[in-house]
C-alpha cells in the first residue's frame, strides 16, 4: 500500500527535474501537494503507523525539494541560476533633480580667485530659491530704466524763439496767407508746439515688488549655476592680467559681475577698470538690471550675508 501511495505521489508531482523546469510558482506545487496529501489521507486508514510516518516524511521531503527548486530560479542572490531577464525592468533609473522655487536652502561651495577650497555656505531659500516670475522682473527693470532717465529734453515755444515780433506783411492785398509773426511753428527756425520739456520719467513701484524682483534675479542665477560664492575678493596685485586670466578659465562666461560686502578694494578696482566684461559693485548697489546684464554673478561671503540681512529687514511704511 505504501508503494502504491508513493507512486501516486510521484505521478502527481512528476520528477524533480520536470517540476523545476515547468512549474512557474510555488502555488501550483502547493496545490498538487494538497491533492496528493488528501489522496494519501484517504488510504491512511488501511496502512500501518510506520508506513504512514515514512510516507509523510518522504512526501514532505519531496515538497521541500520542489520548493527549493522553484525558488532558486527567482532568487537574485543565488549562485545556481541568474535572475530572469524578463523580470528585470528595462526603464533606466533617473535620479530626481532638485525642484526650483521651493524656498529650500542651498548648499554651495566657497572658493576664491585661486580656485582653492574654502568650505561650503548655506544660501537662504527665501532669497535664493524663489519661483521665477518674468512679470516681476519686467516691472522692476522698467522702473529702473525710467528712474535713471535724465529727462533733460527741451524745446522752445513761440515765446522762447529768437526773432522779431513785427507783422511780416499786410493783412490784405498781397494774395498771401495772413500771418502775424515769423516765429510760428509753420516757419523754418520757428517754435515747436507741444514739444518735450524737462521732467522726471520715474514712476512709483512698491518696495515689496522691488525686493521681490531682486530675490527672483538671484534665484535665477542660482538655478542656472551661474552664482559663485568667494571667501573674499582680495587680489594680490592690481594687475589687470590676473583678472583677465581668471575670466578666460571660466566656461560659458562672457560678462562677470563682482559683488563685495563693503567698499570695493582699491586693487580690485584698478584691476577691473580696463575690462569691459568685468564690473564691480558693493552689496548696497546690487540691482536687478545689473544682474541681468551679466551672465555670471560672483559674490563674497560678506556680500551674501548683507544681502540676506537686507532682504529680511522689515519694510518701512
Amino acid at each position: 500500500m505504501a508503494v502504491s501511495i508513493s507512486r501516486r505521489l510521484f505521478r502527481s508531482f512528476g520528477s524533480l527535474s520536470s517540476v523545476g523546469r515547468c512549474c512557474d510558482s510555488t502555488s501550483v506545487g502547493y496545490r498538487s501537494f494538497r491533492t496528493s496529501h488528501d489522496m494519501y489521507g484517504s488510504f491512511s486508514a488501511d496502512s500501518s503507523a510506520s508506513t504512514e510516518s515514512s510516507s509523510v516524511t518522504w512526501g514532505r521531503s519531496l515538497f521541500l525539494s520542489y520548493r527549493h527548486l522553484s525558488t532558486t530560479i527567482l532568487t537574485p542572490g543565488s549562485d545556481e541560476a541568474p535572475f530572469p531577464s524578463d523580470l528585470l525592468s528595462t526603464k533606466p533609473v533617473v535620479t530626481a533633480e532638485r525642484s526650483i522655487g521651493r524656498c529650500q536652502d542651498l548648499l554651495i561651495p566657497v572658493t576664491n580667485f585661486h580656485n582653492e577650497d574654502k568650505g561650503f555656505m548655506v544660501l537662504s531659500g527665501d532669497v535664493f530659491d524663489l519661483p521665477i516670475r518674468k512679470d516681476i522682473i519686467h516691472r522692476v527693470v522698467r522702473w529702473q530704466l525710467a528712474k535713471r532717465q535724465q529727462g533733460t529734453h527741451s524745446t522752445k515755444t513761440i515765446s522762447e524763439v529768437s526773432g522779431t515780433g513785427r507783422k511780416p506783411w499786410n493783412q490784405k492785398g498781397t494774395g498771401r496767407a495772413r500771418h502775424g509773426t515769423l516765429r510760428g511753428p509753420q516757419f523754418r527756425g520757428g517754435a515747436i508746439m507741444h514739444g518735450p520739456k524737462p521732467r522726471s520719467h520715474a514712476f512709483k513701484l512698491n518696495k515689496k515688488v522691488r525686493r521681490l524682483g531682486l530675490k527672483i534675479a538671484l534665484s535665477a542665477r542660482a538655478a542656472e549655476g551661474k552664482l559663485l560664492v568667494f571667501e573674499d575678493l582680495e587680489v594680490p596685485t592690481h594687475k589687470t592680467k590676473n583678472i583677465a586670466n581668471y575670466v578666460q578659465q571660466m566656461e560659458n562666461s562672457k560678462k562677470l559681475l563682482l559683488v563685495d560686502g563693503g567698499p570695493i578694494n582699491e586693487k580690485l578696482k584698478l584691476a577691473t577698470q580696463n575690462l569691459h566684461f568685468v564690473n564691480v559693485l558693493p552689496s548696497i548697489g546690487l540691482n536687478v538690471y545689473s544682474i541681468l546684464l551679466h551672465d555670471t554673478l560672483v559674490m563674497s561671503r560678506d556680500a551674501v550675508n548683507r544681502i540676506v540681512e537686507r532682504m529680511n529687514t522689515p519694510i518701512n511704511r
Side-chain angles (χ1 to χ4, degrees):
M1 180 64 68
V3 175
S4 62
I5 293 174
S6 300
R7 288 178 179 176
R8 290 178 182 178
L9 286 172
F10 188 81
R11 292 194 197 100
S12 62
F13 281 102
S15 62
L16 295 178
S17 59
S18 62
V19 169
R21 290 191 303 265
C22 302
C23 293
D24 298 328
S25 65
T26 59
S27 60
V28 178
Y30 181 72
R31 289 196 298 268
S32 302
F33 176 73
R34 288 296 302 272
T35 304
S36 303
H37 184 67
D38 295 339
M39 187 182 302
Y40 172 78
S42 62
F43 291 98
S44 61
D46 300 331
S47 60
S48 61
S50 61
T51 306
E52 179 179 0
S53 60
S54 62
S55 301
V56 171
T57 305
W58 189 88
R60 184 176 300 173
S61 62
L62 180 63
F63 175 74
L64 294 177
S65 301
Y66 161 72
R67 184 178 180 183
H68 174 71
L69 289 175
S70 63
T71 55
T72 51
I73 302 177
L74 301 178
T75 303
S78 176
D79 297 331
E80 299 177 5
F83 200 92
S85 60
D86 55 339
L87 298 181
L88 296 176
S89 176
T90 58
K91 185 177 181 180
V93 179
V94 180
T95 304
E97 297 182 357
R98 184 184 67 86
S99 300
I100 301 175
R102 297 293 184 88
C103 296
Q104 299 176 352
D105 293 344
L106 308 178
L107 185 65
I108 186 171
V110 181
T111 181
N112 56 12
F113 285 112
H114 303 287
N115 294 324
E116 298 176 351
D117 186 12
K118 295 296 182 178
F120 295 89
M121 185 175 187
V122 178
L123 302 181
S124 178
D126 56 354
V127 177
F128 294 92
D129 192 25
L130 266 65
I132 308 302
R133 291 188 55 183
K134 295 182 180 180
D135 58 324
I136 299 296
I137 296 294
H138 178 258
R139 292 177 61 182
V140 176
V141 169
R142 285 188 63 249
W143 171 78
Q144 280 191 239
L145 296 182
K147 188 175 180 62
R148 78 176 190 177
Q149 190 170 347
Q150 292 183 357
T152 55
H153 38 55
S154 179
T155 56
K156 291 184 178 182
T157 61
I158 193 171
S159 62
E160 297 171 342
V161 174
S162 177
T164 181
R166 175 180 175 271
K167 187 177 178 64
W169 49 78
N170 294 334
Q171 183 79 1
K172 295 177 179 295
T174 61
R176 304 182 66 178
R178 49 187 181 234
H179 292 288
T181 179
L182 294 179
R183 295 182 297 174
Q186 68 272 29
F187 292 104
R188 179 179 178 271
I192 301 296
M193 302 304 296
H194 310 292
K197 283 293 184 179
R199 67 181 181 91
S200 173
H201 292 266
F203 57 87
K204 182 179 181 299
L205 187 64
N206 293 338
K207 291 182 180 180
K208 62 180 181 180
V209 179
R210 288 145 49 182
R211 178 175 293 185
L212 180 60
L214 183 56
K215 291 181 180 180
I216 293 175
L218 294 173
S219 301
R221 286 293 176 261
E224 295 170 351
K226 294 292 187 178
L227 175 62
L228 305 178
V229 178
F230 281 13
E231 181 67 24
D232 51 46
L233 298 182
E234 297 292 335
V235 290
T237 179
H238 63 279
K239 293 295 183 178
T240 304
K241 63 179 181 180
N242 296 333
I243 303 297
N245 294 335
Y246 175 77
V247 176
Q248 291 178 358
Q249 294 175 1
M250 301 179 65
E251 297 180 356
N252 301 325
S253 180
K254 296 181 179 180
K255 295 193 69 176
L256 191 65
L257 178 62
L258 304 176
V259 181
D260 204 355
I264 304 301
N265 186 14
E266 190 66 25
K267 292 183 180 180
L268 182 62
K269 186 184 301 183
L270 294 176
T272 58
Q273 65 180 0
N274 288 334
L275 300 176
H276 67 278
F277 50 86
V278 178
N279 290 315
V280 185
L281 282 178
S283 61
I284 193 64
L286 185 62
N287 58 86
V288 176
Y289 190 64
S290 297
I291 295 176
L292 297 182
L293 285 181
H294 303 79
D295 55 2
T296 303
L297 178 62
V298 177
M299 302 180 65
S300 65
R301 190 188 291 267
D302 185 28
V304 173
N305 294 331
R306 295 197 181 194
I307 288 295
V308 173
E309 181 182 359
R310 193 176 81 184
M311 293 296 103
N312 295 329
T313 303
I315 298 176
N316 296 327
R317 300 295 181 180

